Amino acid sequence: MPIEEESKRFKQIREELNLTQAAFAEQLGISMTTADIERGRTRIPGQVVKELLKQHNINPLWLFGESGQKYLRIGDAAINPKVVTVDNAGEENIVMVNAKAAAGYPLNLGDTRWFESLPAFSIPLPEYRNATFRGFQVDGDSMMPVLQSDEWIVGKAVEGWDEVKNNRMYVIVTADSILVKKIQKSEKNTFVSLISLNPEYAPISVDRSEVRELWQVNSKLTFDMETNAANISLQNIHQEMKELKEEVRKLAR
């Protein structure tokens, strides 16, 4: 690829980061500014290519015109389950993690005995075959009206981040907590946004390296249909009231 195109791509990265030439140079360990690289007077040094990959996940092959993939994901920690249990027939169980056990779950991810102490069962339906599933009890109201506190959800194990789809609901296990949220991935860095359905809760930004396990929510178990329907209705009324107040504020201006 001609050096002019290489320089354009380098400049494009800086502009997308909203950095001056001097600030970008300091970040990458270049003396003075990045002007000479952007003007095509000098090639991009190997050390700079390394820093672009390390700091911003820039694919070196894209930088030099040999790939259409701009970003690379490196160093993602494994997010698949560390322990599974099986029944007498050798089939995987669905381990159930209640709200009380959830407090100790992140600390015991590799402890087989701890998992064997939890209740487990299987569901003889095709939707629960050929994969690892786990049940989690919902705690809190951040995912109302879809999920109510004390309901149960069943998640399917996710093997890697490539399987994660934006705006799907997941159980996210970090070093100190279990969260149920919708996920939005970033194309520019390794952070993901964890989004609640309840508008009272602000999104949470988490680096992928903080995630220990990931389960895609594919079903739920509920035992109080009347309360469930009532909560959905109240949530809708609450949302409509918020929207009405906002309209009144606009008219008052």
Side-chain angles (χ1 to χ4, degrees):
M1 181 178 72
I3 189 171
E4 292 82 6
E5 187 62 31
E6 173 186 320
S7 301
K8 286 180 182 177
R9 294 193 176 199
F10 180 83
K11 182 179 180 181
Q12 177 187 333
I13 296 167
R14 176 181 65 79
E15 291 177 339
E16 288 176 351
L17 294 170
N18 294 317
L19 294 173
T20 64
Q21 290 179 333
F24 199 33
E26 181 179 357
Q27 186 183 92
L28 298 174
I30 302 172
S31 60
M32 302 302 289
T33 75
T34 60
D36 284 345
I37 295 176
E38 293 183 17
R39 291 170 183 163
R41 292 178 180 174
T42 61
R43 291 279 185 178
I44 303 174
Q47 181 63 28
V48 171
V49 174
K50 176 182 174 183
E51 290 300 319
L52 288 171
L53 175 60
K54 180 180 177 182
Q55 297 184 39
H56 304 295
N57 301 304
I58 299 298
N59 182 359
L61 294 179
W62 174 86
L63 191 61
F64 294 108
E66 296 183 21
S67 173
Q69 183 179 347
K70 186 175 181 180
Y71 300 100
L72 286 181
R73 305 301 180 194
I74 58 174
D76 278 343
I79 54 174
N80 56 307
K82 312 303 182 288
V83 174
V84 296
T85 66
V86 297
D87 59 21
N88 293 333
E91 300 293 330
E92 283 192 22
N93 289 317
I94 300 178
V95 175
M96 304 299 287
V97 184
N98 63 30
K100 183 178 180 180
Y105 187 92
L107 303 175
N108 293 282
L109 291 179
D111 189 339
T112 302
R113 289 187 179 181
W114 188 84
F115 276 91
E116 289 176 345
S117 71
L118 298 177
F121 71 107
S122 62
I123 301 177
L125 295 175
E127 289 82 2
Y128 297 95
R129 294 175 185 165
N130 303 318
T132 298
F133 294 90
R134 189 148 295 166
F136 297 89
Q137 189 174 28
V138 178
D139 185 19
D141 61 354
S142 68
M143 298 306 283
M144 286 181 62
V146 175
L147 300 178
Q148 315 298 325
S149 191
D150 295 333
E151 287 183 330
W152 288 85
I153 52 177
V154 178
K156 179 181 178 181
V158 177
E159 296 295 325
W161 285 99
D162 289 342
E163 296 181 19
V164 176
K165 298 178 175 60
N166 283 337
N167 297 314
R168 294 282 183 88
M169 195 181 299
Y170 292 86
V171 177
I172 303 101
V173 181
T174 66
D176 57 8
S177 62
I178 298 178
L179 304 169
V180 184
K181 305 289 180 185
K182 282 192 171 184
I183 284 183
Q184 283 189 346
K185 297 188 291 184
S186 171
E187 294 183 355
K188 296 183 178 181
N189 55 50
T190 58
F191 282 85
V192 294
S193 294
L194 308 183
I195 301 169
S196 301
L197 297 180
N198 187 336
E200 299 295 327
Y201 291 81
I204 302 170
S205 183
V206 173
D207 192 282
R208 293 182 181 187
S209 62
E210 298 178 44
V211 179
R212 302 292 183 263
E213 286 184 357
L214 205 56
W215 304 81
Q216 182 177 340
V217 177
N218 75 334
S219 55
K220 76 169 183 175
L221 305 174
T222 186
F223 304 99
D224 193 341
M225 299 300 292
E226 293 297 327
T227 299
N228 203 39
N231 283 335
I232 291 175
S233 178
L234 288 172
Q235 186 73 11
N236 290 339
I237 292 172
H238 177 68
Q239 183 62 29
E240 290 173 2
M241 289 296 293
K242 286 186 65 175
E243 292 173 358
L244 181 60
K245 287 180 181 178
E246 185 61 29
E247 291 297 322
V248 170
R249 289 195 192 99
K250 291 179 180 178
L251 292 173
R253 293 173 189 169

